[in-house]
Amino acid sequence: MSGALLLQSLILGILLGGLYALLAAGLTLYFGIMRVVMIAHSAFLILAAYLAWWFNQQTGIDPLVSLIVTVPLFFVTGVLMQRLLVSRLKPLTLTMMSVLLTFAVALVIEGTLGFLFTGTQRRIPLPYASESLNFFGAQVPVVKLIAFGLAALALAGLFVLLKYTRFGQALRATIQHPEAARLVGINTDRVAGYGFGLGLATAAIGGTALSLDATIYPSLHWHWIGPLMAIIVVGGLGSIPGAAIAALVLGIAQSLLQLPLGPTWAQTVFYVALFATLMFRPQGFFGGRLAQRF
Amino acid sequence: MPSVSSREPIATETVVIAPPAPRRRPAAKWVTIALLIVGAVLVLSFPTIAPNPYILSAGVVILNYAVLSTGWNFMGGFTGYISLGHAAYFGLGAYGTALLIKYLALPGFVAWIVAAILVAVIAIPIGIAALRVRGASFVIVSIAFVLIMLLVFQSWRDVTGGSEGLNVPRPFPDMLRPEHHRVFYYLFVALLVFALVVWWIIDRSKFGTALKSIREDEDKAQSLGVPTTRYKLIAYILSALFVSLGGGLYALWFGDLDPIFQFSILIGSYMVLMALLGGVRNLFGPLLGAVVVGVALEYFKLEFGDTQFHLIATGILLGVVVLFMPDGIIPAVKGLFTRSSNAASIREVTAGELLEQNAVRSAAQESPRRTNASGEETTS
């Protein structure tokens, strides 16, 4: 095995890990805000990818432009979903029932995509699809770099938003202690809605990034939800930095394991990590207070 | 003196209102028995009523769903741990049976039993890992387990046949197709009855009560001395056992296995949907749900064929059930007849309501006393 190949796998792993990190951050947001496990997250991811593909097919413009529409659209959808669906569930059984509810949403999205666009595999024909940069002998496809750049930008934006704005402070307060947040005058319901919208907006960005270099089909989201769920459990439910680190580590591990094992078996690394985490450290490796009970 | 008596502190006078004891009217019992008999007659006579072999095979499929869903309910109904991944045990039961016949040349039904026992053994470590966490993580683990099984059975081409599928030798090689359906229909009925009887026995036992206490409040159950971890594990293994029995029988009946169908999350979600729709706390809840959902699924397959419409319908139905009737059809229908407004399982009245009721009662007790006081000491 040559060094260049190894380096290439490492780089591809980091690039993939970046995308995982963005999506896992979205999942962590939902969980932090409302203890909701959003199974439909990856379904929305595929929906965004389909919208980007459809946009490109109809107009011929670069799919990245579709972000102008999909990000606000997904944000509003997220807010509405939180206000109209999730907040109706009884608090006592919220976690379990939210899994089922978002699972139902995922099924509806998958079914609708299959209904409208059929099960045919789709791919966006990009002029720069086959171009790649040479980096110390490693070939790095440009589309993967763009996807990573998009994910990194979105993550950085999310970080700044959460850390330095008033809304971010309110959101973090809601995550840490909803009752105390209400006591100091934060409208936690509204903040929770916006937080949901933010989470779904990450799916819009991730989906567009995914559409650049992936072949998409309606049931693709099952291939994403498993690894993403594993990542947030390994990282510790509710911890965004934990999710990001776990995403990078597991993304790199998957990419490196592809060399000896092939792509299918390499995917099992997520599940092995998941079961190992549950056996030895059920609260996750970077989890805070939240993770204790889940 | 009247003035003193009227100043008596009334707040300390707590009136304990016992929750109304669950009264069963004798009529309700007869209705239940009559419904049971009618249901049993309908189920048993279905093969003779069924106009063609296709309808009969649909009946077998629905019975299979009922077995799976009842099996799921050993875990989901008793302990409240919702597993979306029981399709893994369905697939393992089916593949286990097929592989045992293929490689060890066991007779079909022996392989079926052996496979189910093996799956139950496999369920032990999985259960231990999954039950270390509650709520959300448990569901995640259960989904991950199906995905991992799908991956393994698709990739392990030499043994499982991969995506090509696996052919299961028929247990009755010279039987004609309609006859085959009929025999398996009754086999599935027998398995379903067995599962229902075991569920019913557990439901009435101390073990079942302990499991239900886990469902209502795990921490309190633990503090009262219920060995929660062990009990949950037993329920999980029983549940896996029945689901894998259903899977194995399916393999013997259908004769052709394919990893994408056997290990699909969709099958797992059907089990949950059926059980929730019928009512997880009722013996016949999953069966009723299986009939409703199963008939609907067969209808969608006939009417819309290969389109993804059944996914949308399943999703919408699941969403409606979760949002509007998480307790299922049976309690909702019962509520219509008995009109017992308090369907809560833990306590009939909340602490706040109790306080309010106490206040009303003590006010009611106090007011006649006050009129007495004003009516010139009739009490003293």
Side-chain angles (χ1 to χ4, degrees):
Chain A
M1 197 182 299
S2 70
L5 194 60
L6 211 60
L7 179 68
Q8 174 162 335
S9 281
L10 189 66
I11 293 173
L12 290 182
I14 294 172
L15 297 184
L16 182 66
L19 196 52
Y20 280 144
L22 174 66
L23 292 167
L27 271 177
T28 307
L29 258 185
Y30 311 121
F31 188 82
I33 297 164
M34 287 200 70
R35 308 292 177 277
V36 164
V37 176
M38 176 83 159
I39 304 277
H41 193 58
S42 58
F44 277 105
L45 173 83
I46 305 304
L47 177 64
Y50 260 97
L51 288 177
W53 166 79
W54 188 68
F55 172 78
N56 175 263
Q57 221 202 12
Q58 296 294 315
T59 63
I61 306 173
D62 194 282
L64 288 179
V65 181
S66 71
L67 280 174
I68 299 170
V69 182
T70 50
V71 169
L73 181 72
F74 274 46
F75 181 80
V76 173
T77 309
V79 175
L80 288 179
M81 209 175 137
Q82 196 272 336
R83 299 319 294 272
L84 298 181
L85 296 180
V86 179
S87 61
R88 275 174 196 269
L89 297 170
K90 288 181 197 151
L92 199 66
T93 51
L94 177 71
T95 310
M96 285 290 196
M97 288 299 159
S98 72
V99 172
L100 293 179
L101 185 63
T102 56
F103 184 85
V105 173
L107 285 183
V108 171
I109 291 176
E110 185 190 336
T112 312
L113 284 179
F115 203 60
L116 292 179
F117 299 119
T118 73
T120 319
Q121 303 201 340
R122 311 283 186 182
R123 199 181 177 93
I124 301 179
L126 283 175
Y128 47 88
S130 55
E131 282 175 39
S132 57
L133 292 180
N134 197 323
F135 186 79
F136 292 111
Q139 297 291 322
V140 184
V142 171
V143 281
K144 284 201 196 295
L145 275 177
I146 297 175
F148 178 78
L150 211 55
L153 262 181
L155 256 185
L158 195 62
F159 179 78
V160 170
L161 186 69
L162 285 181
K163 200 85 182 174
Y164 298 110
T165 63
R166 266 186 83 77
F167 166 71
Q169 283 181 332
L171 189 62
R172 282 186 295 140
T174 309
I175 291 174
Q176 279 170 11
H177 203 306
E179 278 157 41
R182 268 194 293 277
L183 278 178
V184 296
I186 295 170
N187 185 345
T188 49
D189 286 339
R190 194 194 298 157
V191 168
Y194 290 162
F196 235 79
L198 267 186
L200 220 52
T202 66
I205 298 171
T208 311
L210 181 73
S211 75
L212 294 180
D213 80 322
T215 306
I216 52 176
Y217 46 92
S219 62
L220 179 64
H221 68 109
W222 296 120
H223 292 271
W224 278 81
I225 198 65
L228 287 178
M229 290 291 166
I231 285 169
I232 62 169
V233 172
V234 172
L237 281 172
S239 153
I240 291 182
I245 296 170
L248 271 179
V249 169
L250 289 176
I252 293 170
Q254 183 196 7
S255 188
L256 288 179
L257 283 174
Q258 274 183 5
L259 293 178
L261 296 177
T264 319
W265 288 106
Q267 259 221 314
T268 53
V269 67
F270 289 102
Y271 306 117
V272 172
L274 173 64
F275 280 96
T277 307
L278 292 178
M279 278 312 215
F280 302 114
R281 218 180 136 76
Q283 72 271 37
F285 283 97
F286 309 96
R289 197 175 43 82
L290 277 181
Q292 298 292 334
R293 306 287 304 149
F294 298 94
Chain B
M1 295 300 280
S3 58
V4 174
S5 69
S6 67
R7 248 185 243 160
E8 260 175 33
I10 49 165
T12 53
E13 235 178 88
T14 41
V15 184
V16 176
I17 300 168
R23 267 181 300 129
R24 272 190 85 125
R25 281 173 304 171
K29 196 178 158 196
W30 288 110
V31 169
T32 314
I33 291 175
L35 278 178
L36 259 181
I37 292 173
V38 171
V41 168
L42 268 180
V43 167
L44 289 177
S45 62
F46 182 74
T48 41
I49 303 173
N52 57 44
Y54 166 71
I55 298 286
L56 185 55
S57 75
V60 177
V61 169
I62 289 170
L63 273 178
N64 185 23
Y65 281 140
V67 170
L68 297 181
S69 181
T70 306
W72 178 89
N73 209 27
F74 278 87
M75 187 68 197
F78 282 135
T79 68
Y81 276 65
I82 290 176
S83 158
L84 273 171
H86 263 48
Y89 297 113
F90 173 63
L92 281 176
Y95 265 99
T97 307
L99 293 176
L100 283 176
I101 297 174
K102 192 177 167 194
Y103 290 101
L104 297 183
L106 292 181
F109 289 97
V110 178
W112 175 49
I113 302 289
V114 174
I117 293 169
L118 283 179
V119 172
V121 173
I122 293 172
I124 295 174
I126 304 297
I128 291 174
L131 292 169
R132 280 175 69 94
V133 285
R134 293 183 193 175
S137 301
F138 177 77
V139 188
I140 293 175
V141 175
S142 69
I143 293 175
F145 186 50
V146 182
L147 292 173
I148 205 172
M149 282 299 131
L150 174 62
L151 221 58
V152 167
F153 277 79
Q154 259 184 327
S155 315
W156 204 6
R157 209 163 278 273
D158 316 334
V159 178
T160 65
S163 311
E164 308 279 295
L166 186 63
N167 210 13
V168 189
R170 286 174 184 278
F172 313 112
D174 15 272
M175 202 175 265
L176 287 174
R177 199 134 194 115
E179 193 55 32
H180 190 75
H181 288 330
R182 188 187 304 267
V183 168
F184 269 91
Y185 182 89
Y186 286 115
L187 281 172
F188 269 114
V189 169
L191 180 58
L192 178 64
V193 169
F194 178 48
L196 287 173
V197 167
V198 175
W199 202 92
W200 183 73
I201 292 171
I202 292 179
D203 189 37
R204 296 169 66 92
S205 70
K206 220 173 159 183
F207 173 59
T209 312
L211 287 179
K212 283 183 254 177
S213 74
I214 293 174
R215 176 181 72 199
E216 302 303 350
D217 192 327
E218 189 164 348
D219 290 319
K220 276 194 198 112
Q222 200 166 13
S223 69
L224 287 173
V226 175
T228 51
T229 312
R230 203 187 327 145
Y231 278 18
K232 278 188 296 182
L233 189 61
I234 295 174
Y236 188 77
I237 293 166
L238 268 178
S239 173
L241 180 72
F242 277 105
V243 171
S244 73
L245 280 174
L249 204 53
Y250 172 84
L252 291 175
W253 171 64
F254 197 70
D256 194 26
L257 303 179
D258 160 39
I260 294 193
F261 176 76
Q262 298 300 322
F263 294 102
S264 83
I265 296 185
L266 215 52
I267 298 278
S269 68
Y270 288 157
M271 294 180 211
V272 181
L273 172 60
M274 288 161 183
L276 278 185
L277 181 67
V280 289
R281 287 156 196 222
N282 296 78
L283 176 61
F284 294 109
L287 170 59
L288 181 67
V291 172
V292 174
V293 178
V295 169
L297 281 176
E298 288 297 317
Y299 172 77
F300 280 129
K301 254 181 231 162
L302 264 186
E303 204 73 358
F304 299 100
D306 265 348
T307 61
Q308 300 291 306
F309 200 70
H310 66 279
L311 280 182
I312 305 178
T314 308
I316 290 175
L317 186 58
L318 183 60
V320 167
V321 168
V322 166
L323 279 178
F324 299 112
M325 46 177 198
D327 285 332
I329 297 176
I330 292 182
V333 172
K334 264 188 189 165
L336 282 183
F337 288 108
T338 57
R339 289 198 195 173
S340 67
S341 56
N342 294 320
S345 55
I346 306 176
R347 58 171 84 101
E348 251 66 11
V349 268
T350 65
E353 282 169 1
L354 194 62
L355 211 64
E356 225 168 67
Q357 285 173 358
N358 284 346
V360 170
R361 280 222 177 171
S362 42
Q365 283 194 344
E366 192 213 16
S367 51
R369 193 183 292 162
R370 205 179 267 160
T371 50
N372 284 351
S374 63
E376 285 310 317
E377 286 153 31
T378 38
T379 44
S380 65

